[in-house]
Amino acid sequence: MLDLIVISPETDYPNELDWVIKLFEAGMKRYHLRKPGMTDQQVYDYLQAIPRDWRPLIALHQCHAWVDSMNLGGWHFKDNSPDLSRADQWRQSRSAGQKLSRSIHSLNDLNEDLSGWDYVFLSPVFPSISKQDYGPQWENSQLSAALRYCKDAYQTKVYALGGVDEAHIPDVGEMGFDGVALLGAIWSSPHPLESFSKAQEALNLIEQA
């Protein structure tokens, strides 16, 4: 079955923490917290508002040192992050269940040695929901071949990001992705929980096919 990851909205969403808790209650298995405009204290307060039982399902895009101290689920890195060099430190010392992930934006990146990463986000796979004039720069046949190579060579999971919603999930499965990362599909909606449920239903239909 394809996996489903939800990424936080970059800016505040009305009653956001209430929605995040409802998403966990509805079965969300992985949540990426990415808040570049927040201070360290604001990120800490955000995490503190989430019940402890769900914190191991959260990956941080910032404040990476808190992953261990707050018993979180992993570290995520931008493809050009200066912190990439520190990934090895956590790779060697991480606890069971903690995962390292990163973002990539081209098919050439799938030819790199990605064996040290549990999964990567490849974007944009479709025209972005949250960013105007941001879409894929490759043909689907090229993408499928690159995904096969990455999985065969490195056993690294690749998740589709960018423009992905429930309507595109069958296409994602055919392309050869291991799952989807949803951002705009969830937070551009006035009903995030409903959007999440529709995406989960689309994934279930693929599993049943």
Side-chain angles (χ1 to χ4, degrees):
M1 181 176 177
L2 297 180
D3 299 326
L4 191 161
I5 293 173
V6 175
I7 302 174
S8 71
E10 183 173 322
T11 56
D12 290 342
Y13 186 94
N15 302 311
E16 181 176 329
L17 279 163
D18 291 338
W19 285 114
V20 170
I21 290 171
K22 288 176 181 178
L23 290 170
F24 276 123
E25 290 173 341
M28 180 170 65
K29 303 297 185 185
R30 191 83 175 162
Y31 184 63
H32 274 239
L33 182 57
R34 176 181 176 271
K35 292 287 188 179
M38 276 190 175
T39 65
D40 289 1
Q41 183 62 49
Q42 287 172 323
V43 173
Y44 179 82
D45 292 342
Y46 188 111
L47 292 166
Q48 284 288 95
I50 296 174
R52 291 179 183 273
D53 288 349
W54 287 318
R55 291 181 198 169
L57 304 179
I58 299 172
L60 282 186
H61 287 226
Q62 60 207 91
C63 306
H64 284 147
W66 290 347
V67 171
D68 284 328
S69 62
M70 298 190 73
N71 192 33
L72 305 179
W75 307 260
H76 186 86
F77 300 83
K78 295 191 297 184
D79 56 354
N80 59 353
S81 171
D83 289 335
L84 269 176
S85 60
R86 300 187 63 190
D88 282 338
Q89 167 191 336
W90 287 305
R91 188 174 288 116
Q92 299 300 323
S93 63
R94 60 180 165 168
S95 302
Q98 290 181 326
K99 300 181 184 297
L100 285 114
S101 58
R102 62 177 287 193
S103 298
I104 58 176
H105 300 284
S106 76
L107 298 190
N108 286 336
D109 292 333
L110 291 175
N111 293 322
E112 293 183 19
D113 184 355
L114 297 173
S115 57
W117 301 95
D118 294 289
Y119 60 92
V120 297
F121 293 159
L122 176 64
S123 67
V125 176
F126 303 102
S128 175
I129 297 169
S130 56
K131 299 178 182 178
Q132 290 187 347
D133 301 320
Y134 186 57
Q137 303 296 316
W138 51 71
E139 299 294 331
N140 285 350
S141 59
Q142 296 173 307
L143 171 61
S144 295
L147 289 172
R148 285 195 299 270
Y149 173 80
C150 181
K151 286 190 282 188
D152 290 345
Y154 311 124
Q155 289 76 55
T156 298
K157 290 187 174 184
V158 185
Y159 292 79
L161 172 64
V164 182
D165 58 17
E166 71 274 6
H168 284 123
I169 283 175
D171 298 325
V172 168
E174 291 179 4
M175 290 172 182
F177 283 98
D178 296 286
V180 297
L182 302 183
L183 197 166
I186 301 295
W187 303 110
S188 293
S189 166
H191 303 290
L193 186 58
E194 181 179 330
S195 297
F196 174 82
S197 297
K198 288 180 178 179
Q200 191 63 63
E201 288 170 8
L203 290 170
N204 291 341
L205 287 174
I206 292 176
E207 180 71 9
Q208 295 166 11

